[in-house]
Amino acid sequence: MARALELARRGPVAGPNPRVGCVLLSGDRVIGEGWHRGAGTPHAEAAALADAAERGEDTRGATAVVTLEPCAHTGRTGPCARTLIEAGVARVVVAVPDPNPVAGGGIDLLRAAGIEVRVGPGADAVRRMLAPWLIAVGRGRPFVTLKLAGTLDGRVAAADGTSRWITSAESRAHAHAMRAEVDALLIGTGTALADDPALTARTASGELAGHQPLRVVLGDRELPPGRLHGPGGELVRIPGHDPAAALAVLAGREVRHVLVEGGPTISAAFLRAGLVDRVLAYLAPVLLGAGRSAVGDLGIGTLADGVRLHTEDVLRLGPDVLLIARAGDGEEEV
């Protein structure tokens, strides 16, 4: 399973499909390996079976070790559970069941065909890798990461409006790497008008990354001609100010992970709606004492009602600190 997880990590982080790896065994000998390379390509199980065929290996009686439950439906590709049955596989070890009501059911299909199925080995590591995808599919809406970047006293701009650059080059490089792993970046029209951001994912050398997320602008105000029409992901305008409605639109486009980078108003709107799953807070060792706050009014009047987050990790990025925290009760709902 550790090898299957290693293979899964070779697949693309962004996109509608999860990263999945598969190892085929005959006894304790590996006879085939595969991973999913992205939407429209063979799934990990089919890739592993193809690899076994190229090696001249017989898959009858083999064991398939796979990070996610083999699918049982026909989408862009055929059902993997049926493919394993037809290949004569005798045993399947699955780390995590598929929460997708459309694709799930592979375990039942395999067992109905007389194949032994074991579920659970390696589950914790696979859940950590697939957390945004699993949560998005389970909830029927994109996983939402809220990015905040500001001073130690919570400011994103000085009193005169200056804001570039509060955080360090190391923090900005990390943020660009994060952009390359999500399906969409979301801001409000206020941020689009005030900051004129490019909303692109760039490499350390400043080049456009291979994957560019959708550039989503929420709100009704018009943007000047040419704004956000440069190189980068597709521009998606969503009218109104309802975060839930915006996520519904993006779910319809098979978006699994959204990075909200809007200003204080958008940040507060998503927090007030209870639609933030994880927070990335880049903190620079700077004090301003005045200026725009990172988050707008949350309607909270007393400390007991504050939005409490659960720290996942703390990273040092040059002079800055990145706090990674999740919302909710402290447990991943996967």
Side-chain angles (χ1 to χ4, degrees):
M1 187 61 76
R3 174 59 177 168
L5 181 59
E6 180 183 336
L7 293 168
R9 293 187 187 280
R10 297 181 182 181
V13 179
N17 293 347
R19 292 185 288 175
V20 182
C22 178
V23 177
L24 296 175
L25 301 171
S26 179
D28 59 359
R29 186 170 60 87
V30 174
I31 61 172
E33 295 183 333
W35 68 94
H36 184 48
R37 289 172 166 83
T41 66
H43 287 187
E45 300 90 332
L49 290 169
D51 182 44
E54 289 181 7
R55 300 185 191 197
E57 298 283 2
D58 186 355
T59 58
R60 289 174 295 179
T63 295
V65 180
V66 61
T67 55
L68 185 69
E69 177 183 6
C71 65
H73 84 301
T74 299
R76 296 181 179 94
T77 60
C80 293
R82 180 63 60 190
T83 300
L84 291 173
I85 294 169
E86 293 172 352
V89 169
R91 185 169 181 258
V92 178
V93 181
V94 175
V96 176
D98 191 335
N100 191 335
V102 175
I107 291 173
D108 292 339
L109 188 62
L110 292 167
R111 285 175 172 160
I115 294 175
E116 177 190 351
V117 180
R118 182 182 175 194
V119 181
D124 289 345
V126 172
R127 286 182 187 278
R128 284 193 296 271
M129 178 188 70
L130 292 179
W133 185 88
L134 288 168
I135 293 172
V137 170
R139 294 178 179 172
R141 66 154 176 85
F143 182 91
V144 175
T145 294
L146 173 63
K147 174 196 164 190
L148 303 174
T151 65
L152 289 182
D153 53 350
R155 306 296 177 178
V156 294
D160 65 355
T162 55
S163 61
R164 294 187 178 181
W165 295 101
I166 289 176
T167 55
S168 65
E170 291 88 345
S171 289
R172 296 195 295 275
H174 185 280
H176 274 282
M178 183 65 195
R179 286 179 172 186
E181 295 184 358
V182 302
D183 301 307
L185 304 175
L186 187 147
I187 63 173
T189 51
T191 298
L193 292 169
D195 296 346
D196 189 17
L199 292 186
T200 55
R202 295 188 177 273
T203 66
S205 63
E207 302 295 322
L208 287 174
H211 164 71
Q212 292 296 318
L214 297 176
R215 297 181 286 188
V216 182
V217 179
L218 177 63
D220 296 322
R221 283 187 283 178
E222 293 295 325
L223 300 181
R227 186 69 56 96
L228 285 170
H229 283 84
E234 177 188 350
L235 174 61
V236 178
R237 293 296 314 270
I238 301 179
H241 304 89
D242 184 353
L247 293 182
V249 171
L250 296 176
R253 298 185 62 133
E254 295 188 297
V255 167
R256 306 298 188 203
H257 193 174
V258 177
L259 181 61
V260 175
E261 292 198 9
T265 301
I266 285 291
S267 298
F270 273 84
L271 287 166
R272 291 183 72 153
L275 293 173
V276 173
D277 301 301
R278 186 168 292 161
V279 174
L280 300 181
Y282 298 86
L283 301 174
V286 178
L287 298 171
L288 291 175
R292 225 170 13 142
S293 298
V295 177
D297 183 16
L298 294 176
I300 295 171
T302 184
L303 183 62
D305 295 335
V307 178
R308 296 286 180 175
L309 306 175
H310 306 269
T311 301
E312 288 186 332
D313 205 355
V314 179
L315 304 177
R316 175 79 176 266
L317 298 172
D320 302 338
V321 172
L322 170 62
L323 174 69
I324 304 173
R326 63 181 179 271
D329 59 5
E331 297 294 332
E332 294 289 6
E333 298 177 16
V334 296

